[in-house]
Each structure stands twice: as C-alpha cells, then as structure tokens.
C-alpha cells in the first residue's frame, strides 16, 4: 500500500471507528447473570433493578455486541464489510484486509477498525468517510505524519517518500528492562572471527554455565517479544540477533546474558530506526543468503529480503515488504545464495542458474 502511494503520487489518510465492537445486532440473544454487588447503586436506581433481583443477581438479555462476547468481533466485521460493499468498496479476493473501490481510485487496508487509505482526490476520500459515518463514529487523520497500527508514517509529499518508524520504542524498552548507561556497539551480535590459513576450523566449545532462574527466563522471553515486534516492523538489522537469542530461550543459561547485553548496547546506539519507501516501478526483488553450519547443533541460517524496486544494477534496496532470518532446523549438505527478480522484462541476468518460480 505504501509503495503504491509514493509510486502513484497519491496521498494517505487514516481513520478509526470508535466503539467498533459495540452496537452490532446479534443473530440471536445472549443472556448474562450479574451479581448485584458489581452494579453501582446509581445504576440500580436509574433502571429500577430492585424489581428484577433474584438471589442477589440480575439476569440480562443481550441483543447487541458488547466486549467479551466471542462472536462480537466476527459479527462487527461482517457488518462493516457488507456496509462497505454497498458503497462500492470490496475486499480483494486473494488479499484479505485490502479493499478497493470500483471506480473512484480509493484503496485501503483494514486491521480490525483501523483504516490506512490511499487516495488522490479529496472528494473520493470524503465518499469513504461519508459511507462510514452512516453507521459509525469515526476519527480521521489527513496530516503528513500519522500513526497506523503503532507505526509512525511520515509522508514527504514534495520529495515523494514515506518513512516508517516507532519513535521512543527502544528508549521505553530500555527503561522497562532497567538498562542504562549502556556502551556503544555498532553490531547487535558479538563477532567471533574465523581462523583461516594453516589453522583448522574447530567447533567452538562453550564454557561452563548455569541455568537462568525462572524470573530471569521470563524477562528473557519478554525481551524477545518486545524487540521481535520492533525488528519486524521497522528495524530488520536486529532480526538475526533476536532470532539467535530466541532460539536459546527454551533452555537459557548464564552465557546468554552477554549476548543480551550486546543487543541492548546496539539498540541503544541506534534507538530510532527508520525505513524509507521511495517511488519505483514496483517490481518484486529478492536478495537471499545462507550461512552454512553457523549455528549450534550443526545447523545453518537462511536470510533474505523482498522489496519493490526498479531492478537496476546499481539500485539501493527500498524498504523491504518482507524479510527473514531463520535457523534451518535440519542439517543441510550445502548453502547457496542468489538474487532473484520476478519482473518479466529484466532479462536473464537477474536469475540464478537454477530454475525457480517467483
């Protein structure tokens, strides 16, 4: 969506539905038993509940969606999709959560009740807002800098690029995990140089260590969870390091503390990562690589990134639409790396020797 916005010289806006789960008619009534002690006295008086009390409880019939009903989200979504379809906004068959209007050029992604909207004409945007206001109370943001699903988007319309970031996320994480006065580090992983020449490569034997306590293990899991979201959202340079740490959290020992501290040093050195999306002809490009027998238990690592670009020889990668760095669970006999492109007009020089389908 963001690549299409800058490549088509369009604009973005966001919208949010207030109280999305509330008020949707249920397909059948539900009933709830509430203890009188959980109902404030002024509410009891206002609705004359004294005549409806039995055994210090009140039985209530529910005919519209409320928080806590397992079907509330599904019914609210079905209602919204049906309402949008009535105004010409239909969900793409092969791309869930992506909606396109039949004629006015508006497209948007929908995450629960959050809209990220691509548009060119203000009148087309107002058409969507008017349709939503028929059923809901909504808030909108048409500014150049806005938030969507926790990510800050800055659209520089003059220079035609979009920056993605989460300002203050790393600082809040360091504060949460009580990391302060950290040294600087230019890489998230402690580098162990290989020995070349006459020296034979040998398996690295880990020194003796002690298991982490349950509290330390829980904190480690929280660190992985907090930074895994950040790495996937805006800073893929952290992904390999956090993946290495995560692969050892099932049986963590004191040795992992040094790796975690190095990771925090790197995160604190570069606390506000930004990914920039520039205009391109939006051909899908993949850079992939492999690291052979570089992980514990003779395992290897696979990594890569996919971005929408121009497929030029000297092209700098655009902000990736997808990236990964994972440990291959099986022991492989070799590791290969290549650059592939699924553009049909790029010529054979961009393809690997091995046939592939992208």
């Amino acid at each position: 969506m963001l690549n299409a916005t800058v490549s088509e010289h369009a604009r973005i806006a966001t919208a949010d539905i207030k109280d999305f789960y509330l008020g949707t008619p249920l397909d059948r009534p539900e009933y709830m038993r509430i203890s009188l002690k959980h109902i404030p006295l002024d509410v009891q008086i206002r609705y004359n509940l004294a005549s409806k009390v039995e055994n210090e409880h009140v039985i209530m019939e529910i005919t519209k969606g409320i928080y806590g009903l397992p079907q509330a989200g599904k019914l609210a979504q079905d209602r919204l999709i049906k309402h949008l379809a009535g105004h010409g906004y239909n969900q793409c068959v092969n791309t869930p959560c992506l909606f396109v209007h039949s004629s006015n050029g508006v497209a948007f992604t929908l995450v629960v009740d959050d809209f990220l909207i691509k548009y060119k004409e203000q009148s087309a945007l107002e058409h969507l807002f008017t349709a939503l206001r028929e059923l809901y109370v909504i808030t909108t943001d048409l500014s150049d800098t806005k938030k969507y699903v926790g990510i800050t988007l800055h659209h520089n319309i003059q220079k035609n690029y979009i920056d993605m970031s989460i300002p203050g996320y790393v600082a809040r994480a360091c504060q949460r995990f009580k990391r302060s006065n950290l040294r600087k580090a230019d890489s998230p992983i402690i580098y162990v140089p290989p020995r070349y020449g006459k020296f034979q490569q040998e398996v690295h034997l880990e020194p003796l260590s002690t298991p982490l306590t349950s509290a330390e293990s829980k904190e480690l899991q929280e660190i992985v969870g907090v930074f895994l979201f950040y790495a996937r959202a805006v800073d893929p340079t952290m992904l390999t390091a956090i993946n290495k740490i995560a692969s050892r959290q099932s049986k963590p020992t004191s040795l992992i503390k040094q790796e975690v501290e190095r990771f925090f040093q790197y995160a604190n050195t570069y606390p506000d990562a930004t990914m920039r999306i520039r205009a391109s002809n939006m051909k899908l490009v993949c850079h992939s690589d492999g690291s052979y027998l570089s992980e514990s238990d003779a395992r290897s690592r696979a990594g890569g990134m996919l971005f929408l670009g121009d497929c030029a020889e000297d092209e700098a990668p655009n902000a990736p639409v997808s990236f990964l760095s994972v440990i291959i669970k099986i022991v492989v006999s070799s590791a290969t790396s290549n650059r592939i492109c699924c553009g049909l007009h790029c010529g054979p020089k961009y393809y690997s020797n091995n046939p592939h389908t992208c």
Side-chain angles (χ1 to χ4, degrees), residues 72-337:
K74 179 64 165 60
L75 293 174
Q77 184 191 51
D78 290 345
R79 185 191 189 200
L80 174 59
I81 292 175
K82 182 179 179 180
H83 179 70
L84 289 169
H87 290 80
Y89 299 95
N90 294 293
Q91 187 169 203
C92 296
V93 176
N94 296 317
T95 311
C97 301
L98 176 62
F99 292 75
V100 179
H101 191 267
S102 54
S103 60
N104 67 11
V106 169
F108 60 84
T109 59
L110 177 62
V111 179
V112 187
D113 59 351
D114 294 322
F115 295 74
L116 176 65
I117 309 158
K118 177 176 72 72
Y119 70 100
K120 288 187 177 181
E121 303 294 335
Q122 185 67 28
S123 58
L125 180 65
E126 290 300 327
H127 180 270
L128 173 61
F129 289 164
T130 301
L132 290 174
R133 290 188 177 111
E134 290 181 5
L135 279 185
Y136 309 99
V137 176
I138 64 172
T139 57
T140 62
D141 189 351
L142 278 67
S143 63
D144 293 340
T145 301
K146 55 185 67 66
K147 277 191 175 183
Y148 182 65
V149 293
I151 300 175
T152 298
L153 306 174
H154 173 67
H155 189 186
N156 189 317
I157 299 174
Q158 287 72 32
K159 296 184 178 180
N160 199 28
Y161 65 76
I162 294 177
D163 284 343
M164 303 171 57
S165 63
I166 311 181
Y169 189 94
V170 171
R172 291 191 295 271
C174 290
Q175 184 179 14
R176 170 182 173 178
F177 297 112
K178 298 180 176 58
R179 296 315 200 273
S180 59
N181 300 320
L182 295 167
R183 297 170 55 188
K184 290 187 176 181
D186 290 327
S187 65
I189 300 174
I190 301 173
Y191 177 64
V192 180
R195 302 175 66 188
Y196 296 108
K198 63 180 180 179
F199 299 101
Q200 182 179 356
Q201 290 289 96
E202 296 179 351
V203 176
H204 175 68
L205 298 178
E206 292 187 347
L208 296 176
S209 59
T210 56
L212 297 185
T213 64
S214 59
E216 291 173 327
S217 297
K218 183 179 179 181
E219 183 186 62
L220 179 64
Q221 293 169 358
E222 292 177 359
I223 291 171
V224 169
V226 166
F227 281 101
L228 189 58
F229 166 76
Y230 182 77
R232 287 173 172 170
V234 296
D235 192 357
T237 65
M238 292 182 174
L239 199 57
T240 299
I242 203 68
N243 178 256
K244 279 179 173 285
I245 295 172
S247 68
R248 298 174 55 188
Q249 65 180 343
S250 60
K251 296 180 180 179
T253 67
S254 56
L255 292 176
I256 204 170
K257 290 183 178 180
Q258 189 177 3
E259 297 179 23
V260 171
E261 290 307 311
R262 174 62 176 231
F263 178 82
F264 269 106
Q265 291 169 5
Y266 174 78
N268 188 66
T269 303
Y270 304 100
D272 293 313
T274 301
M275 294 202 302
R276 176 164 294 179
I277 300 173
R278 302 182 303 276
S280 69
N281 60 15
M282 293 183 64
K283 290 182 177 177
L284 184 63
V285 181
C286 172
H287 289 263
S288 61
D289 203 352
S291 177
Y292 185 51
L293 302 183
S294 57
E295 300 294 339
S296 59
D297 300 323
R299 295 175 297 174
S300 301
R301 178 172 291 275
M305 60 180 288
L306 291 99
F307 62 93
L308 297 172
D310 297 319
C311 297
E313 281 285 359
D314 57 347
E315 177 185 21
N318 213 344
V321 295
S322 181
F323 41 80
L324 81 158
S325 179
V326 297
I327 295 175
I328 302 173
K329 294 182 179 181
I330 61 174
V331 178
V332 296
S333 59
S334 67
T336 60
S337 62

